[in-house]
Structure formats: C-alpha cells, structure tokens
Coordinates of all heavy atoms in Angstrom, one line a residue:
M1431 N 0.8 -1.2 0.0 CA 0.0 0.0 0.0 C 0.9 1.2 0.0 O 1.7 1.4 0.9 CB -0.9 0.0 1.3 CG -1.5 1.3 1.5 SD -2.6 1.5 2.9 CE -1.7 0.9 4.2
S1432 N 0.8 2.1 -1.0 CA 1.5 3.3 -1.1 C 0.7 4.4 -0.6 O -0.5 4.5 -0.8 CB 1.9 3.5 -2.6 OG 2.5 4.7 -2.7
C1433 N 1.3 5.3 0.2 CA 0.6 6.5 0.8 C 1.3 7.8 0.4 O 2.5 7.8 0.2 CB 0.7 6.4 2.3 SG -0.4 5.1 3.0
E1434 N 0.5 8.8 0.4 CA 1.1 10.2 0.2 C 1.5 10.7 1.6 O 0.7 10.5 2.6 CB 0.0 11.1 -0.4 CG 0.5 12.5 -0.6 CD -0.7 13.4 -1.1 OE1 -1.6 12.8 -1.7 OE2 -0.6 14.6 -0.8
V1435 N 2.7 11.3 1.7 CA 3.1 11.8 3.0 C 3.1 13.3 2.9 O 3.7 13.9 1.9 CB 4.5 11.3 3.3 CG1 5.0 12.0 4.6 CG2 4.5 9.8 3.5
E1436 N 2.4 14.0 3.8 CA 2.4 15.4 3.8 C 2.8 15.9 5.2 O 2.9 15.1 6.2 CB 1.0 16.0 3.5 CG -0.1 15.5 4.4 CD -1.5 15.9 4.0 OE1 -1.7 16.2 2.8 OE2 -2.4 15.9 4.8
T1437 N 3.2 17.2 5.3 CA 3.7 17.7 6.6 C 3.0 19.0 7.0 O 2.5 19.7 6.1 CB 5.2 18.1 6.5 OG1 5.4 19.0 5.4 CG2 6.1 16.8 6.2
S1438 N 2.9 19.2 8.3 CA 2.3 20.4 8.8 C 3.4 21.5 8.8 O 4.6 21.1 8.9 CB 1.7 20.2 10.1 OG 2.7 20.0 11.1
P1439 N 3.1 22.7 8.8 CA 4.2 23.8 9.0 C 4.9 23.6 10.3 O 6.1 23.8 10.3 CB 3.4 25.1 9.0 CG 2.1 24.8 8.2 CD 1.8 23.3 8.5
R1440 N 4.2 23.3 11.3 CA 4.9 23.0 12.6 C 5.9 21.9 12.5 O 7.0 22.0 13.0 CB 3.9 22.7 13.7 CG 4.5 22.4 15.0 CD 3.4 22.0 16.0 NE 4.1 21.9 17.3 CZ 3.5 21.5 18.4 NH1 2.2 21.1 18.3 NH2 4.1 21.4 19.5
F1441 N 5.6 20.8 11.9 CA 6.5 19.7 11.7 C 7.7 20.1 10.9 O 8.8 19.8 11.3 CB 5.8 18.6 10.9 CG 6.7 17.4 10.8 CD1 6.8 16.4 11.8 CD2 7.4 17.2 9.6 CE1 7.6 15.3 11.6 CE2 8.3 16.2 9.5 CZ 8.4 15.2 10.5
V1442 N 7.6 20.9 9.9 CA 8.7 21.4 9.1 C 9.7 22.2 9.9 O 10.9 22.0 9.9 CB 8.2 22.2 7.8 CG1 9.4 22.8 7.1 CG2 7.4 21.3 6.9
R1443 N 9.2 23.1 10.7 CA 10.0 23.9 11.6 C 10.8 23.0 12.6 O 12.0 23.2 12.8 CB 9.2 24.9 12.4 CG 8.7 26.1 11.5 CD 8.1 27.2 12.4 NE 7.1 26.8 13.3 CZ 5.8 26.7 12.9 NH1 5.4 26.9 11.7 NH2 4.9 26.3 13.8
K1444 N 10.0 22.1 13.3 CA 10.6 21.3 14.3 C 11.6 20.3 13.7 O 12.7 20.1 14.3 CB 9.6 20.6 15.1 CG 8.8 21.5 16.0 CD 8.0 20.7 17.0 CE 8.9 20.2 18.1 NZ 8.2 19.6 19.2
A1445 N 11.3 19.7 12.6 CA 12.2 18.8 11.9 C 13.5 19.5 11.5 O 14.6 19.0 11.7 CB 11.6 18.2 10.7
G1446 N 13.4 20.7 11.0 CA 14.6 21.5 10.7 C 15.5 21.7 11.9 O 16.7 21.5 11.8
R1447 N 14.9 22.1 13.0 CA 15.7 22.3 14.2 C 16.4 21.1 14.7 O 17.5 21.0 15.1 CB 14.8 22.9 15.3 CG 14.6 24.4 15.2 CD 13.8 24.9 16.3 NE 12.5 24.5 16.1 CZ 11.4 24.9 16.7 NH1 11.5 25.7 17.7 NH2 10.2 24.5 16.3
I1448 N 15.6 20.0 14.7 CA 16.1 18.7 15.2 C 17.2 18.2 14.3 O 18.3 17.7 14.8 CB 15.0 17.7 15.4 CG1 14.2 18.0 16.6 CG2 15.6 16.3 15.5 CD1 12.9 17.2 16.8
L1449 N 17.0 18.3 13.0 CA 18.1 17.8 12.1 C 19.3 18.6 12.1 O 20.4 18.1 11.8 CB 17.5 17.6 10.7 CG 16.4 16.5 10.6 CD1 15.8 16.5 9.2 CD2 17.0 15.2 10.9
R1450 N 19.2 19.9 12.4 CA 20.4 20.8 12.5 C 21.1 20.4 13.8 O 22.4 20.4 13.8 CB 20.0 22.3 12.5 CG 19.8 22.8 11.1 CD 19.7 24.4 11.2 NE 18.6 24.9 12.0 CZ 17.4 25.0 11.6 NH1 17.0 24.6 10.4 NH2 16.4 25.5 12.5
K1451 N 20.4 20.1 14.8 CA 21.0 19.8 16.1 C 21.5 18.4 16.1 O 22.5 18.1 16.8 CB 20.0 20.0 17.2 CG 20.5 19.9 18.6 CD 19.4 20.2 19.6 CE 20.0 20.1 21.0 NZ 19.0 20.4 22.1
H1452 N 20.9 17.5 15.4 CA 21.2 16.0 15.4 C 21.4 15.6 13.9 O 20.5 14.8 13.4 CB 20.2 15.2 16.1 CG 19.9 15.6 17.5 ND1 20.7 15.2 18.5 CD2 18.9 16.3 18.0 CE1 20.2 15.7 19.6 NE2 19.2 16.4 19.4
P1453 N 22.4 16.0 13.2 CA 22.6 15.7 11.8 C 22.7 14.1 11.6 O 22.3 13.7 10.5 CB 23.8 16.4 11.3 CG 24.5 16.8 12.6 CD 23.5 16.9 13.7
D1454 N 23.1 13.4 12.6 CA 23.2 12.0 12.5 C 21.8 11.3 12.3 O 21.7 10.1 11.9 CB 23.9 11.4 13.7 CG 23.3 11.8 15.0 OD1 23.1 13.1 15.2 OD2 23.0 11.0 15.9
L1455 N 20.7 12.0 12.6 CA 19.3 11.5 12.4 C 18.8 11.6 11.0 O 17.8 11.0 10.7 CB 18.4 12.2 13.4 CG 18.4 11.9 14.8 CD1 17.4 12.8 15.6 CD2 18.1 10.5 15.1
R1456 N 19.5 12.3 10.1 CA 19.0 12.6 8.8 C 18.7 11.3 8.1 O 17.6 11.1 7.5 CB 20.0 13.4 8.0 CG 19.4 13.8 6.6 CD 20.1 14.9 5.9 NE 20.0 16.1 6.6 CZ 19.0 17.0 6.6 NH1 17.9 16.7 6.0 NH2 19.1 18.1 7.3
N1457 N 19.6 10.3 8.1 CA 19.3 9.0 7.4 C 18.1 8.3 8.0 O 17.3 7.7 7.3 CB 20.6 8.1 7.4 CG 21.6 8.6 6.5 OD1 21.4 9.4 5.6 ND2 22.9 8.2 6.7
D1458 N 18.0 8.3 9.3 CA 16.9 7.6 10.0 C 15.6 8.3 9.6 O 14.6 7.7 9.3 CB 17.0 7.7 11.5 CG 18.2 6.8 12.0 OD1 18.5 5.8 11.3 OD2 18.7 7.0 13.1
F1459 N 15.6 9.7 9.6 CA 14.5 10.5 9.2 C 14.0 10.2 7.8 O 12.9 9.9 7.5 CB 14.8 11.9 9.4 CG 13.7 12.8 8.9 CD1 12.5 13.0 9.7 CD2 13.8 13.5 7.7 CE1 11.5 13.8 9.3 CE2 12.7 14.3 7.3 CZ 11.6 14.5 8.1
E1460 N 15.0 10.2 6.8 CA 14.6 10.0 5.4 C 14.1 8.5 5.3 O 13.2 8.3 4.5 CB 15.8 10.3 4.6 CG 16.1 11.7 4.5 CD 17.4 12.1 3.8 OE1 18.2 11.1 3.4 OE2 17.7 13.3 3.6
G1461 N 14.7 7.6 6.0 CA 14.3 6.2 5.9 C 12.9 6.0 6.4 O 12.1 5.3 5.9
A1462 N 12.6 6.7 7.5 CA 11.2 6.6 8.1 C 10.2 7.2 7.2 O 9.1 6.6 7.0 CB 11.2 7.3 9.5
V1463 N 10.5 8.3 6.6 CA 9.5 8.9 5.7 C 9.3 8.0 4.5 O 8.1 7.8 4.1 CB 10.0 10.4 5.3 CG1 9.1 10.9 4.1 CG2 10.0 11.3 6.4
E1464 N 10.3 7.5 4.0 CA 10.2 6.5 2.8 C 9.4 5.3 3.2 O 8.5 4.8 2.5 CB 11.5 6.1 2.3 CG 11.4 5.3 1.0 CD 10.6 5.9 -0.1 OE1 10.6 7.1 -0.3 OE2 10.0 5.1 -0.9
A1465 N 9.6 4.8 4.4 CA 8.9 3.6 4.9 C 7.4 4.0 5.1 O 6.5 3.2 4.7 CB 9.5 3.1 6.3
L1466 N 7.1 5.2 5.6 CA 5.7 5.6 5.7 C 5.1 5.7 4.4 O 3.9 5.4 4.2 CB 5.7 7.0 6.5 CG 5.9 6.9 7.9 CD1 6.2 8.3 8.5 CD2 4.7 6.3 8.7
R1467 N 5.8 6.2 3.4 CA 5.3 6.3 2.0 C 5.0 4.9 1.5 O 3.9 4.8 0.8 CB 6.3 7.0 1.2 CG 5.8 7.4 -0.2 CD 6.8 8.3 -0.9 NE 6.7 9.7 -0.4 CZ 7.7 10.4 0.2 NH1 8.9 9.8 0.3 NH2 7.5 11.6 0.7
Q1468 N 5.8 4.0 1.7 CA 5.6 2.6 1.1 C 4.5 1.9 1.8 O 3.7 1.3 1.2 CB 6.9 1.9 1.2 CG 8.0 2.4 0.2 CD 9.3 1.6 0.4 OE1 9.4 0.7 1.1 NE2 10.3 2.1 -0.3
D1469 N 4.6 1.9 3.2 CA 3.6 1.1 4.0 C 3.8 1.6 5.4 O 4.7 1.2 6.1 CB 3.9 -0.4 3.9 CG 2.9 -1.2 4.7 OD1 2.0 -0.6 5.3 OD2 3.0 -2.4 4.7
P1470 N 2.9 2.4 5.9 CA 3.0 2.9 7.3 C 2.9 1.8 8.4 O 3.2 2.1 9.5 CB 1.8 3.9 7.4 CG 0.9 3.6 6.3 CD 1.7 2.9 5.2
F1471 N 2.5 0.6 8.0 CA 2.3 -0.5 9.0 C 3.5 -1.4 9.0 O 3.5 -2.4 9.6 CB 1.0 -1.2 8.7 CG -0.2 -0.4 8.9 CD1 -0.8 0.1 7.7 CD2 -0.6 0.0 10.1 CE1 -1.9 0.9 7.8 CE2 -1.7 0.8 10.2 CZ -2.4 1.3 9.1
Q1472 N 4.7 -1.0 8.4 CA 5.9 -1.8 8.5 C 6.3 -1.9 10.0 O 6.3 -0.9 10.7 CB 7.0 -1.1 7.7 CG 6.8 -1.1 6.2 CD 8.0 -0.5 5.5 OE1 9.1 -0.8 5.9 NE2 7.7 0.3 4.6
P1473 N 6.6 -3.1 10.4 CA 7.0 -3.3 11.8 C 8.2 -2.5 12.3 O 8.2 -2.1 13.4 CB 7.4 -4.8 11.9 CG 6.6 -5.4 10.7 CD 6.6 -4.4 9.7
S1474 N 9.1 -2.1 11.4 CA 10.2 -1.3 11.8 C 9.9 0.0 12.3 O 10.6 0.7 13.1 CB 11.2 -1.2 10.6 OG 10.6 -0.5 9.6
L1475 N 8.7 0.6 11.9 CA 8.3 1.9 12.4 C 7.7 1.9 13.8 O 7.5 2.9 14.4 CB 7.2 2.5 11.4 CG 7.8 2.9 10.0 CD1 6.6 3.2 9.1 CD2 8.7 4.0 10.1
R1476 N 7.3 0.7 14.2 CA 6.6 0.5 15.5 C 5.4 1.5 15.7 O 5.3 2.2 16.7 CB 7.6 0.7 16.6 CG 8.7 -0.4 16.6 CD 9.6 -0.3 17.8 NE 10.6 -1.4 17.6 CZ 11.4 -1.7 18.6 NH1 11.4 -1.1 19.7 NH2 12.3 -2.6 18.4
L1477 N 4.6 1.6 14.6 CA 3.5 2.5 14.6 C 2.5 2.0 15.7 O 2.2 0.8 15.8 CB 2.8 2.4 13.3 CG 1.6 3.3 13.1 CD1 2.1 4.8 13.0 CD2 0.9 2.9 11.8
H1478 N 2.0 3.0 16.5 CA 1.0 2.6 17.5 C 0.1 3.8 17.7 O 0.5 4.9 17.6 CB 1.7 2.2 18.8 CG 2.6 3.2 19.4 ND1 3.9 3.4 18.9 CD2 2.4 4.1 20.4 CE1 4.5 4.4 19.6 NE2 3.6 4.9 20.5
P1479 N -1.2 3.5 18.0 CA -2.1 4.6 18.3 C -1.9 5.2 19.7 O -1.4 4.5 20.6 CB -3.5 3.8 18.3 CG -3.2 2.4 18.6 CD -1.8 2.2 18.1
L1480 N -2.2 6.5 19.8 CA -2.0 7.2 21.0 C -3.3 7.3 21.8 O -4.4 7.1 21.2 CB -1.4 8.5 20.8 CG 0.0 8.5 20.1 CD1 0.5 9.9 19.8 CD2 1.0 7.8 20.9
Q1481 N -3.3 7.6 23.0 CA -4.5 7.7 23.9 C -4.6 9.0 24.5 O -3.7 9.9 24.3 CB -4.4 6.5 24.9 CG -4.4 5.2 24.3 CD -4.3 4.1 25.3 OE1 -4.3 4.3 26.5 NE2 -4.2 2.8 24.8
S1482 N -5.6 9.1 25.4 CA -5.8 10.3 26.1 C -6.1 11.5 25.2 O -6.8 11.4 24.2 CB -4.7 10.6 27.1 OG -5.0 11.7 28.0
Y1483 N -5.4 12.7 25.5 CA -5.6 13.8 24.6 C -5.0 13.7 23.2 O -5.3 14.5 22.4 CB -5.1 15.1 25.3 CG -3.6 15.1 25.5 CD1 -2.8 15.7 24.6 CD2 -3.0 14.6 26.7 CE1 -1.4 15.7 24.7 CE2 -1.7 14.6 26.9 CZ -0.9 15.1 25.9 OH 0.5 15.2 26.1
L1484 N -4.3 12.7 23.0 CA -3.7 12.4 21.7 C -4.5 11.3 20.9 O -4.0 10.9 19.9 CB -2.2 12.0 21.8 CG -1.3 13.0 22.4 CD1 0.1 12.5 22.7 CD2 -1.2 14.3 21.5
Q1485 N -5.6 10.9 21.4 CA -6.4 9.9 20.8 C -6.7 10.3 19.3 O -7.0 11.5 19.1 CB -7.7 9.7 21.5 CG -8.4 8.5 21.1 CD -9.6 8.1 22.0 OE1 -9.8 8.8 23.0 NE2 -10.1 6.9 21.8
G1486 N -6.6 9.4 18.4 CA -6.8 9.7 17.0 C -5.5 9.9 16.3 O -5.5 9.9 15.0
L1487 N -4.4 10.1 17.0 CA -3.1 10.2 16.4 C -2.3 8.9 16.6 O -2.7 8.1 17.4 CB -2.3 11.4 17.1 CG -3.0 12.7 17.0 CD1 -2.2 13.7 17.8 CD2 -3.2 13.2 15.6
H1488 N -1.3 8.8 15.9 CA -0.4 7.6 16.0 C 1.1 8.2 16.2 O 1.4 9.3 15.8 CB -0.4 6.8 14.7 CG -1.7 6.1 14.5 ND1 -2.9 6.7 14.2 CD2 -2.0 4.8 14.7 CE1 -3.8 5.9 14.1 NE2 -3.4 4.7 14.4
A1489 N 1.9 7.3 16.7 CA 3.3 7.6 16.8 C 4.1 6.5 16.1 O 3.7 5.4 16.1 CB 3.8 7.7 18.2
A1490 N 5.2 7.0 15.4 CA 6.2 6.0 14.8 C 7.5 6.3 15.4 O 7.8 7.4 15.8 CB 6.1 6.2 13.3
R1491 N 8.3 5.3 15.4 CA 9.7 5.4 16.0 C 10.6 5.9 14.9 O 10.7 5.2 13.8 CB 10.1 4.1 16.6 CG 11.4 4.1 17.2 CD 11.6 2.8 17.9 NE 13.0 2.7 18.2 CZ 13.5 1.7 18.9 NH1 12.7 0.7 19.3 NH2 14.8 1.7 19.3
L1492 N 11.4 6.9 15.1 CA 12.4 7.4 14.2 C 13.7 6.8 14.6 O 14.5 6.3 13.8 CB 12.5 8.9 14.3 CG 13.5 9.6 13.4 CD1 13.2 9.2 11.9 CD2 13.4 11.1 13.6
S1493 N 14.0 6.8 15.9 CA 15.2 6.2 16.5 C 14.8 5.8 17.9 O 13.7 6.0 18.3 CB 16.4 7.1 16.5 OG 16.2 8.2 17.4
Y1494 N 15.8 5.3 18.7 CA 15.5 4.9 20.1 C 14.9 6.1 20.8 O 13.9 5.9 21.6 CB 16.7 4.4 20.7 CG 16.4 3.9 22.2 CD1 15.8 2.8 22.5 CD2 16.8 4.8 23.2 CE1 15.5 2.4 23.8 CE2 16.6 4.4 24.5 CZ 15.9 3.2 24.8 OH 15.6 2.8 26.1
E1495 N 15.4 7.3 20.6 CA 15.0 8.4 21.4 C 13.9 9.2 20.8 O 13.1 9.8 21.4 CB 16.3 9.3 21.6 CG 16.0 10.6 22.4 CD 17.2 11.5 22.6 OE1 18.3 11.1 22.1 OE2 17.0 12.6 23.1
F1496 N 13.9 9.3 19.4 CA 13.0 10.2 18.8 C 11.8 9.6 18.2 O 11.8 8.5 17.7 CB 13.8 11.0 17.6 CG 14.7 12.0 18.2 CD1 16.0 11.6 18.5 CD2 14.3 13.3 18.5 CE1 16.9 12.6 19.0 CE2 15.2 14.2 19.0 CZ 16.5 13.9 19.3
R1497 N 10.7 10.3 18.2 CA 9.4 9.8 17.7 C 8.8 10.8 16.7 O 9.2 12.0 16.7 CB 8.3 9.7 18.9 CG 8.7 8.9 20.0 CD 8.7 7.4 19.6 NE 8.9 6.5 20.8 CZ 10.0 6.0 21.2 NH1 11.1 6.4 20.6 NH2 10.1 5.2 22.2
V1498 N 8.0 10.3 15.9 CA 7.2 11.2 14.9 C 5.8 10.9 15.3 O 5.3 9.8 15.3 CB 7.5 10.8 13.5 CG1 6.7 11.7 12.5 CG2 9.0 10.9 13.1
V1499 N 5.0 12.0 15.6 CA 3.6 11.9 15.8 C 2.9 12.2 14.4 O 3.3 13.2 13.8 CB 3.1 12.8 16.9 CG1 1.6 12.8 17.0 CG2 3.8 12.5 18.2
L1500 N 1.9 11.4 14.1 CA 1.3 11.6 12.8 C -0.2 11.3 12.8 O -0.7 10.7 13.8 CB 2.0 10.7 11.7 CG 2.2 9.2 12.1 CD1 1.2 8.4 11.5 CD2 3.6 8.8 11.8
V1501 N -0.8 11.7 11.8 CA -2.2 11.4 11.6 C -2.3 10.5 10.4 O -1.7 10.8 9.3 CB -3.0 12.7 11.3 CG1 -4.5 12.3 11.0 CG2 -3.0 13.6 12.5
L1502 N -2.9 9.4 10.5 CA -3.1 8.4 9.4 C -4.5 8.6 8.8 O -5.5 8.5 9.6 CB -2.9 7.0 9.9 CG -1.5 6.6 10.2 CD1 -1.5 5.2 10.7 CD2 -0.6 6.7 9.1
R1503 N -4.6 8.8 7.6 CA -5.9 8.8 6.9 C -5.8 7.6 5.9 O -5.5 7.8 4.7 CB -6.1 10.1 6.2 CG -6.3 11.2 7.1 CD -6.7 12.5 6.4 NE -6.7 13.6 7.3 CZ -5.8 14.5 7.5 NH1 -4.7 14.5 6.7 NH2 -6.0 15.5 8.3
I1504 N -6.0 6.4 6.4 CA -5.8 5.2 5.6 C -6.9 5.2 4.4 O -6.5 4.8 3.3 CB -5.9 4.0 6.4 CG1 -4.9 4.0 7.5 CG2 -5.8 2.7 5.6 CD1 -3.4 4.1 7.0
K1505 N -8.1 5.6 4.7 CA -9.1 5.6 3.7 C -8.6 6.4 2.5 O -8.9 6.1 1.3 CB -10.4 6.1 4.3 CG -11.6 6.0 3.4 CD -12.8 6.5 4.1 CE -14.0 6.4 3.3 NZ -15.2 6.9 4.0
E1506 N -8.0 7.5 2.7 CA -7.5 8.4 1.7 C -6.0 8.1 1.3 O -5.4 8.7 0.5 CB -7.6 9.9 2.1 CG -9.0 10.3 2.5 CD -9.0 11.6 3.2 OE1 -8.0 12.4 3.1 OE2 -10.0 12.0 3.8
R1507 N -5.4 7.1 2.0 CA -4.0 6.7 1.8 C -3.1 7.9 1.9 O -2.3 8.2 1.1 CB -3.9 6.0 0.4 CG -4.6 4.7 0.4 CD -4.6 3.9 -0.8 NE -3.5 4.2 -1.7 CZ -3.3 3.5 -2.8 NH1 -4.1 2.5 -3.1 NH2 -2.3 3.7 -3.6
R1508 N -3.3 8.6 3.0 CA -2.5 9.8 3.3 C -2.0 9.7 4.7 O -2.7 9.4 5.7 CB -3.4 11.0 3.1 CG -2.7 12.3 3.4 CD -3.5 13.5 3.0 NE -3.7 13.4 1.5 CZ -4.7 14.0 0.9 NH1 -5.5 14.8 1.5 NH2 -4.8 13.9 -0.4
V1509 N -0.7 10.1 4.9 CA -0.1 10.3 6.2 C 0.3 11.7 6.4 O 1.0 12.3 5.5 CB 1.2 9.3 6.3 CG1 1.9 9.6 7.6 CG2 0.8 7.9 6.1
T1510 N -0.1 12.3 7.5 CA 0.3 13.7 7.8 C 1.2 13.7 9.0 O 0.8 13.3 10.1 CB -1.0 14.6 8.1 OG1 -1.9 14.5 7.0 CG2 -0.6 16.0 8.3
L1511 N 2.4 14.2 8.8 CA 3.4 14.3 9.9 C 3.1 15.6 10.6 O 3.1 16.7 10.0 CB 4.8 14.3 9.3 CG 5.1 13.1 8.4 CD1 6.5 13.3 7.9 CD2 5.0 11.8 9.2
I1512 N 2.9 15.6 11.9 CA 2.5 16.8 12.7 C 3.5 17.2 13.8 O 3.5 18.3 14.2 CB 1.1 16.7 13.2 CG1 0.9 15.5 14.2 CG2 0.0 16.6 12.1 CD1 -0.4 15.5 14.9
N1513 N 4.3 16.3 14.2 CA 5.2 16.6 15.3 C 6.4 15.6 15.3 O 6.2 14.5 14.8 CB 4.5 16.6 16.7 CG 5.2 17.4 17.7 OD1 6.3 17.9 17.5 ND2 4.7 17.4 18.9
I1514 N 7.5 16.1 15.7 CA 8.7 15.3 15.8 C 9.5 15.8 17.0 O 9.5 16.9 17.4 CB 9.6 15.4 14.5 CG1 10.8 14.5 14.6 CG2 10.0 16.9 14.3 CD1 11.5 14.4 13.2
G1515 N 10.2 14.8 17.7 CA 11.0 15.2 18.8 C 11.3 14.0 19.7 O 11.0 12.8 19.3
S1516 N 12.0 14.2 20.8 CA 12.3 13.1 21.7 C 11.0 12.6 22.2 O 10.0 13.3 22.2 CB 13.2 13.6 22.8 OG 12.5 14.4 23.7
H1517 N 11.0 11.5 22.8 CA 9.8 10.8 23.4 C 9.1 11.8 24.3 O 7.9 12.1 24.2 CB 10.2 9.6 24.1 CG 9.1 8.8 24.7 ND1 8.5 9.2 25.9 CD2 8.4 7.7 24.3 CE1 7.5 8.3 26.2 NE2 7.4 7.4 25.2
D1518 N 9.8 12.4 25.3 CA 9.2 13.3 26.2 C 8.7 14.6 25.6 O 7.6 15.1 25.9 CB 10.2 13.6 27.3 CG 10.5 12.4 28.2 OD1 9.7 11.5 28.2 OD2 11.5 12.5 29.0
E1519 N 9.5 15.1 24.6 CA 9.1 16.4 23.9 C 7.8 16.2 23.2 O 6.9 17.0 23.2 CB 10.2 16.8 22.9 CG 11.4 17.4 23.6 CD 12.5 17.6 22.5 OE1 12.4 17.0 21.4 OE2 13.4 18.3 22.9
V1520 N 7.7 15.1 22.4 CA 6.5 14.8 21.6 C 5.3 14.7 22.5 O 4.2 15.3 22.2 CB 6.8 13.6 20.7 CG1 5.5 13.2 20.1 CG2 7.8 14.0 19.6
Y1521 N 5.4 13.9 23.5 CA 4.2 13.6 24.3 C 3.8 14.8 25.2 O 2.6 15.0 25.5 CB 4.3 12.3 25.1 CG 4.5 11.1 24.1 CD1 5.5 10.3 24.2 CD2 3.6 11.0 23.0 CE1 5.7 9.2 23.3 CE2 3.7 9.9 22.1 CZ 4.7 9.1 22.3 OH 4.9 8.0 21.4
D1522 N 4.8 15.6 25.7 CA 4.5 16.7 26.5 C 4.0 17.9 25.6 O 3.1 18.6 26.0 CB 5.7 17.2 27.2 CG 6.1 16.3 28.4 OD1 5.2 15.4 28.8 OD2 7.2 16.4 28.8
D1523 N 4.5 18.0 24.4 CA 4.3 19.1 23.5 C 3.0 18.9 22.7 O 2.4 19.9 22.2 CB 5.4 19.1 22.5 CG 5.7 20.4 21.9 OD1 5.3 21.4 22.4 OD2 6.4 20.4 20.8
S1524 N 2.5 17.7 22.5 CA 1.4 17.4 21.6 C 0.1 17.9 22.2 O -0.9 17.9 21.4 CB 1.3 15.9 21.3 OG 2.5 15.6 20.6
G1525 N 0.0 18.3 23.4 CA -1.3 18.8 23.9 C -1.7 20.1 23.2 O -2.8 20.5 23.2
D1526 N -0.7 20.8 22.5 CA -1.0 22.0 21.8 C -1.6 21.7 20.4 O -2.0 22.7 19.7 CB 0.3 22.8 21.6 CG 0.9 23.1 22.9 OD1 0.3 23.1 24.0 OD2 2.2 23.4 22.9
L1527 N -1.7 20.5 20.0 CA -2.1 20.2 18.6 C -3.5 20.5 18.4 O -4.4 20.4 19.1 CB -1.8 18.7 18.3 CG -0.3 18.4 18.4 CD1 -0.1 16.9 18.2 CD2 0.6 19.2 17.5

C-alpha cells in the first residue's frame, strides 16, 4: 500500500531544528519517511495509536530516542506528519495540537 506523505508547517520547523541539532538522524528520518510512504504499517516503524488527549493520532519510531507523531488517513491513503522530537518532547508538546 503506497501512501502520500504530507507535513504540517509546525512539523517542518521542528524537523529542521532537530536535524540541525542532530545531523546523524537525517538518514533515519529519510528512511522513516520513505517507509511511511511505502507502507505505514511496517513493523520497523513501531506504529502505535496514542491515547488520552492524543487519541486519534499515531506515533512512529524514528530512532530509540526520537518519535514522529502523525495522523493516518488510511481511507485516503494519506499520512500527515504533525510533530517530531524526543519521546518526552513529543508527548508533552502534543497537547497543543
């Protein structure tokens, strides 16, 4: 299943800051985006639904420390990236979404 991957303006800003601060994540980031494009349910992404105030969103693993929070629109075959950061940053920060 192939999906279209889109980004929110907030995601673009945060991704730019994180990749400048952690250039070693660039390959992981590009690999994760490509994996989401090919099939968001690949086990390597460790995609899982979120709960509480993040219900309706999903998270995928970028690396051991970093997560990508996203919205999956499977019916439309679209993935929207909305937040990126360390585990704690993403889950503390996402209340603003």
Side-chain angles (χ1 to χ4, degrees):
M1431 165 177 55
S1432 178
C1433 290
E1434 179 184 335
V1435 176
E1436 60 186 21
T1437 57
S1438 69
R1440 177 184 187 184
F1441 180 86
V1442 172
R1443 286 190 306 275
K1444 288 192 77 174
R1447 278 184 284 192
I1448 286 172
L1449 293 175
R1450 278 191 301 278
K1451 189 174 179 179
H1452 303 280
D1454 52 311
L1455 285 177
R1456 184 164 299 279
N1457 287 340
D1458 291 335
F1459 175 75
E1460 291 171 356
V1463 170
E1464 184 57 32
L1466 286 166
R1467 188 172 283 121
Q1468 290 175 6
D1469 179 5
F1471 298 104
Q1472 292 182 43
S1474 64
L1475 291 170
R1476 298 188 181 186
L1477 183 73
H1478 57 280
L1480 300 176
Q1481 299 176 4
S1482 186
Y1483 65 92
L1484 298 173
Q1485 191 167 6
L1487 301 177
H1488 291 73
R1491 182 175 167 173
L1492 181 59
S1493 70
Y1494 179 76
E1495 180 182 358
F1496 288 90
R1497 304 288 189 269
V1498 178
V1499 175
L1500 48 102
V1501 176
L1502 289 177
R1503 293 184 184 103
I1504 300 304
K1505 188 175 180 183
E1506 301 169 16
R1507 293 176 27 173
R1508 180 171 297 161
V1509 174
T1510 304
L1511 306 176
I1512 59 171
N1513 201 357
I1514 184 172
S1516 70
H1517 183 277
D1518 292 342
E1519 290 171 342
V1520 167
Y1521 297 127
D1522 290 343
D1523 207 19
S1524 294
D1526 302 338
L1527 301 176

